[in-house]
Structure formats: structure tokens, C-alpha cells
Amino acid sequence: MKHGGGVWHTGNPYDWIDFSANLRPDGPSSWIREAVHDAQKNIRFYPDADMRRAGKGLAQFLDLPEACVLPVAGGIAAIDLVLGSSAGCVYIQPPTFGEYAGRAAVYGRPCEAWSGKCRKGDTLVLCNPNNPTGEIRTQPELLSLWEIVAADGGELMIDEAFIEYCPEHSMRRLIRPGLLIAGSLSKILGIPGIRLGYVCADPETIPLLRRRLFSWPLDAFATEIAAQLPDHREEIRRDAEQNAARRSAFAKQLAKLGAEVFPSESNFLLVDFHRDMKAAGERLRSRGILVRSCASFGLPDSFWRLAVRTEAENTRLIHELEEILHVR
């Protein structure tokens, strides 16, 4: 399983309770639906190739100058854009998101585990909070790594796809040469079907990245949502708070099953059941529940990464696991 969210196997995504994809469990909020409705009037026109409304909205939401923000069609597009802009080695710290190695390979860049040193043109990629562990790195830690990489002529890219769940740890307001942020709104807004992401970088780097974009990167729906983001900061903050409460309760439920639950600052939990969980995953699938194994992260079959969903859905999974694992 390379990615979660495989809800199209039956042709109807509503057949599933999906713990394999880390998304707003209640689906898009009302303002998102209204923005999509409002944007329909513009689908008869080509989108603004300069992405002015989207850029302004994202910059205000991220609290950055517009010159430091480049809208792109999703978090993967942000990762691809950055990794396609250099030719050196890509360094990662496993376990982490597999797309870094995948996109590096597309561009003929070797990918290795970080050893503490790099060369000019190399890129160190870190996910913060990390996927699949949910672990957070502090700003001082990341600045220290940037200093090491920059001294060797490399760059540091931080993937902040889940940062709105702990925005106090974001590095976007500390942007400087050789430090780039790849971001996504898919998770916190629950809109993976509308591709909306961004790159944050210093003002000299953004034009270089922009030249590599294909024409009309954002469609009318992503543009409208981006433009309205600044008006919904408080709602997004409340969503993050609700997720934290649900995550804490879910972690306690999983621990009562005898599982080891790793601390997380994101909207998912890394769980080690200390037993082979492949059969349990298949049984859940037969009952309409999807979970994410961690084989693609290089972890054993005892590990799952579980999305934090609603209280009722989390409890439903716990009850199913109690029966499957014979835990009472």
C-alpha cells in the first residue's frame, strides 16, 4: 500500500470507514461547499495563470508576504516542484513519506538516509510532523539542521502537510535562502479531491520555481477556497483542537488493547500491535473498514498508521479489533 484513501474499489467511496487516509473526518465544512458552489460560475473561463487571488489568500492565511508564497496543485506538486529544481542527492530520515524517494527517482536524483553531511546541490527533506510517526521537530532543531545543510551548499525542504494541527511549530515565518516549505490544505480542510498546496521560499527562489510550473496550475475551485482561507482561521484552529481531543481519547482506547501508541502531533497515530496484523486488516476490510499498513514506510507488519476520525468511528474500530484480536 503506497498511499491510503483507496475507497474506489467498490465504485462507491461511501461504502468505507477510511482510517487509511488522514483527512478531516467530518468531510469539508460548509464554507468549503459554499466556495465550491460559488466557483462554478467561473469554470467557463481559463483560471488566472498568475493565481493572484489564490496567492493573496494563501499569503494572508500563512502570514507571509505574497512574494514568499507560490500556490500549487496539492502537496505532491509542491514536493515535486522543489525536488525537480536541483540535481544532487536527496536525503531523508526514515521512516517517512515514500514520495520523497519516488519523486527523487523521477528526476534521476539518488536518495539516501541522512548521515549529517551533504554537498552543493543536495536536498535534505524532512516531514514535520513526520509521516507516519506524528513526531514533531522544534524550530531550533530545524534551524540547526538548516545551518548544517546550508554550510555545505545544500538546501532543506520541510514538508508541512500536517502543520495546521500544530501551527506553532511551522517554519514558514523563518524562511531564508536554502529553506523551503512544501504545504498542503488537503488534510485540515478534508479536500483531497481539490488539489491545493503551496511552496514557501525566499523572494528570490519563488520566481525560479514559478517558471517550472505548467500553465493554469489551480482550477476555479482551488482558487476560490484559497482566496477565502483568511476568513476561516478560527474554524481551522477549532478543528485542530477537536482533533487533538479525539486523538488523545483514541490513543487511550488503542493502548487498552495492548498496543503501543506513539506520541503524535498530527491527525493520525502510529500503532505497534506487536503481532502480525495483515489478517486483521483483511478482516476489517471485509467489514467496510480500511486501515493503513506501514510496509511502504519500511516498518514491520505489526505497525498500522491510523487516522483520527470521529468519536463514533474510532470506537467502532476499537470494538471490531476487540473481537478480531480476542481482547476484552
Side-chain angles (χ1 to χ4, degrees), residues 144-253:
S144 294
L145 283 169
W146 169 80
E147 290 174 355
I148 293 170
V149 172
D152 290 334
E155 64 183 11
L156 171 62
M157 185 190 83
I158 305 173
D159 180 1
E160 293 192 345
F162 301 96
I163 202 65
E164 297 310 325
Y165 292 100
C166 50
E168 66 276 12
H169 295 293
S170 177
M171 291 290 287
R172 60 198 180 216
R173 296 176 190 88
L174 299 174
I175 285 297
R176 58 202 63 201
L179 175 60
L180 302 95
I181 307 295
S184 169
L185 278 304
S186 298
K187 284 74 177 175
I188 193 71
L189 299 182
I191 54 167
I194 297 177
R195 308 304 300 154
L196 178 57
Y198 55 87
V199 177
C200 301
D202 67 278
E204 289 73 31
T205 300
I206 290 294
L208 302 177
L209 295 172
R210 185 182 289 271
R211 287 207 298 263
R212 297 191 58 252
L213 286 178
F214 54 84
S215 299
W216 309 294
L218 294 189
D219 63 24
F221 303 113
T223 296
E224 189 62 36
I225 292 168
Q228 294 189 28
L229 276 171
D231 297 329
H232 299 280
R233 284 194 183 94
E234 182 59 24
E235 181 177 343
I236 292 170
R237 185 192 65 78
R238 289 197 303 269
D239 278 352
E241 287 184 348
Q242 183 179 54
N243 170 79
R246 289 173 172 175
R247 183 181 64 220
S248 177
F250 192 27
K252 291 175 183 176
Q253 290 176 303

Side-chain angles (χ1 to χ4, degrees), residues 14-88:
Y14 292 94
D15 288 339
W16 304 97
I17 301 175
D18 187 10
F19 285 88
S20 73
N22 315 313
L23 302 164
R24 187 177 191 269
D26 304 291
S29 61
S30 59
W31 77 265
I32 295 283
R33 299 178 188 277
E34 291 168 7
V36 169
H37 180 269
D38 292 344
Q40 291 182 54
K41 66 180 181 296
N42 293 327
I43 63 174
R44 61 181 292 182
F45 305 111
Y46 279 104
D48 178 9
D50 293 326
M51 300 181 291
R52 283 164 288 201
R53 289 187 69 228
K56 181 178 180 180
L58 274 168
Q60 289 181 2
F61 176 73
L62 299 171
D63 196 22
L64 285 173
E66 291 181 48
C68 294
V69 179
L70 180 62
V72 295
I76 295 295
I79 294 165
D80 180 85
L81 187 62
V82 173
L83 295 187
S85 299
S86 298

